[in-house]
Amino acid sequence: MSVAAAVFLILCLATLWWATRPSSVGVRHTLFVFVWLCAALTATLVTFSLFPSSTADGTMFGVTLGGAGAFVLLVWTAALRAGNRAADRDKREATAARKAAPADSPRPTVIGRQETHWYRLRRTAGPGRRWVGIITGDVRRVTTADAWVNSENTDLMMSRIHDFSMSGIIRYEGSRRDVSGRVLNDVIADALAAAVRERRPVTPGIAIVTSAGELAQTHGVRMIIHSAAVEGQPGSGYRPIRDLDQAVHHALKAAEHPVLPDGTSIAPASVVLFPLAGAGTAGGDLDEIARTLLLAAVDYLTRSSAAAPERILFLAYTDAELTACRRVLDICPDVIGRQPAPS
């Protein structure tokens, strides 16, 4: 019995280490369920080996358990409830701290210059090096990515061209216009509408690839990856979808095997540009979104195949966004600290 207890203890500690790694964002809660189960089994084996006459009773799903089984159930459910309460309390305290921030605290400042901060991954599944970077400033100045991710709602209906959003900018810059700037052909929005048709709303997190319209000529963009990263609710506006990390994975998978709505396959993207989806008009927490998106990208490149993008860029429009992104990557164990620009 002592050997079994040791095995479960090792499993508990190994899974706990895995769950606390930055790349475990999105599956952490599932891992902790297994951690607490191993801890419960370890405690049960130790207790009943030292005190073989111990007794316990419990009921689960209408079934009454006794002895060691009831003790496992008791410890496991108690640990899960305590963990859930702690997570809820942490979330409430973080929200309260943001609301209690001084009203005169510095507002985010738009970054006027374009700089790129590169971080190289320590290891990748495929050959060659992979990089994650942060590029600052206005997206309309970015000419180094051949695929742009458009953070879109689950209806996949693009913003109006005058809206200050990634969707609105992509829609206008990708359209064909006359010399006065008037839109003559709404290229990207029409292509997306034709691809979705009557299938709205779509599943949160999915990605659809369309052409880049005029962005191909002006910015060197070969494809737009429309990611259903936010969802709307009447009277409440938009909010980030629950599994933003999955939206990153779907978008990168689409960049790896891009297929246009008419069925035409095009070459995989080598550099993909992401906005901080959900941190704008959707009102998501900037630090949480940056952590989720960047670590999901790191995780994808760590496990990816040879066809995966070589570089992934995240757009930081303000100094607050840059700080949030750098805070994530500076402590991520799967990347090497800031590096010179890849050749």
Side-chain angles (χ1 to χ4, degrees):
M1 188 173 290
S2 60
V3 174
V7 170
F8 282 117
L9 179 60
I10 292 172
L11 284 173
C12 176
L13 295 176
T15 310
L16 179 63
W17 170 80
W18 184 15
T20 53
R21 297 182 68 208
S23 59
S24 295
V25 169
V27 296
R28 186 163 292 158
H29 183 74
T30 302
L31 292 174
F32 272 118
V33 172
F34 184 72
V35 168
W36 296 131
L37 177 60
C38 290
L41 290 169
T42 302
T44 301
L45 291 171
V46 171
T47 300
F48 278 81
S49 64
L50 296 177
F51 308 101
S53 60
S54 301
T55 61
D57 296 290
T59 301
M60 186 174 189
F61 303 122
V63 178
T64 301
L65 302 175
F71 195 78
V72 170
L73 174 64
L74 176 66
V75 176
W76 188 32
T77 55
L80 286 176
R81 288 174 180 174
N84 289 335
R85 286 197 298 269
D88 290 341
R89 181 175 179 179
D90 287 344
K91 190 172 183 178
R92 289 196 303 270
E93 289 179 350
T95 301
R98 289 194 300 270
K99 291 181 178 179
D104 58 350
S105 58
R107 296 177 62 84
T109 301
V110 174
I111 301 175
R113 64 187 182 282
Q114 185 181 95
E115 295 180 348
T116 307
H117 306 265
W118 288 108
Y119 296 76
R120 182 165 63 85
L121 269 68
R122 294 185 183 277
R123 59 186 177 85
T124 58
R129 294 179 175 180
R130 296 290 189 272
W131 304 76
V132 174
I134 311 164
I135 190 166
T136 64
D138 193 327
V139 68
R140 289 169 290 191
R141 298 179 182 176
V142 178
T143 58
T144 54
D146 58 345
W148 284 10
V149 176
N150 173 30
S151 173
E152 203 53 84
N153 53 72
T154 51
D155 284 328
L156 289 183
M157 298 179 66
M158 299 190 74
S159 300
R160 294 169 299 182
I161 61 174
H162 299 297
D163 289 347
F164 183 65
S165 65
M166 186 74 166
S167 179
I169 291 172
I170 288 176
R171 180 175 184 174
Y172 181 73
E173 296 295 328
S175 66
R176 294 193 180 94
R177 305 177 297 277
D178 62 19
V179 293
S180 67
R182 185 169 61 92
V183 174
L184 301 176
N185 188 347
D186 204 356
V187 181
I188 299 176
D190 289 346
L192 181 59
V196 179
R197 297 181 182 177
E198 71 284 353
R199 294 190 293 263
R200 296 187 174 100
V202 300
T203 303
I206 72 159
I208 291 180
V209 179
T210 68
S211 70
E214 292 300 294
L215 284 167
Q217 304 298 324
T218 58
H219 292 71
V221 183
R222 294 192 298 109
M223 70 187 82
I224 302 296
I225 303 171
H226 304 270
S227 174
V230 300
E231 53 191 353
Q233 182 176 352
S236 300
Y238 290 100
R239 62 184 178 186
I241 63 172
R242 180 176 180 178
D243 298 319
L244 268 179
D245 56 328
Q246 292 303 308
V248 174
H249 280 242
H250 286 305
L252 290 174
K253 182 62 69 175
E256 192 173 339
H257 304 286
V259 179
L260 297 177
D262 62 3
T264 303
S265 296
I266 57 178
S270 59
V271 184
V272 180
L273 173 69
F274 278 89
L276 293 180
T281 56
D285 178 79
L286 176 58
D287 288 326
E288 181 178 349
I289 285 173
R291 182 169 57 253
T292 300
L293 296 179
L294 271 71
L295 294 183
V298 170
D299 179 71
Y300 187 91
L301 291 185
T302 300
R303 306 166 187 266
S304 62
S305 66
E310 178 187 351
R311 309 172 196 175
I312 301 175
L313 283 169
F314 286 87
L315 182 70
Y317 182 62
T318 67
D319 57 351
E321 293 175 349
L322 175 60
T323 299
C325 292
R326 287 179 54 180
R327 187 183 295 123
V328 173
L329 293 178
D330 284 343
I331 64 172
C332 179
D334 292 323
V335 301
I336 299 173
R338 275 185 286 169
Q339 301 286 304
S343 57

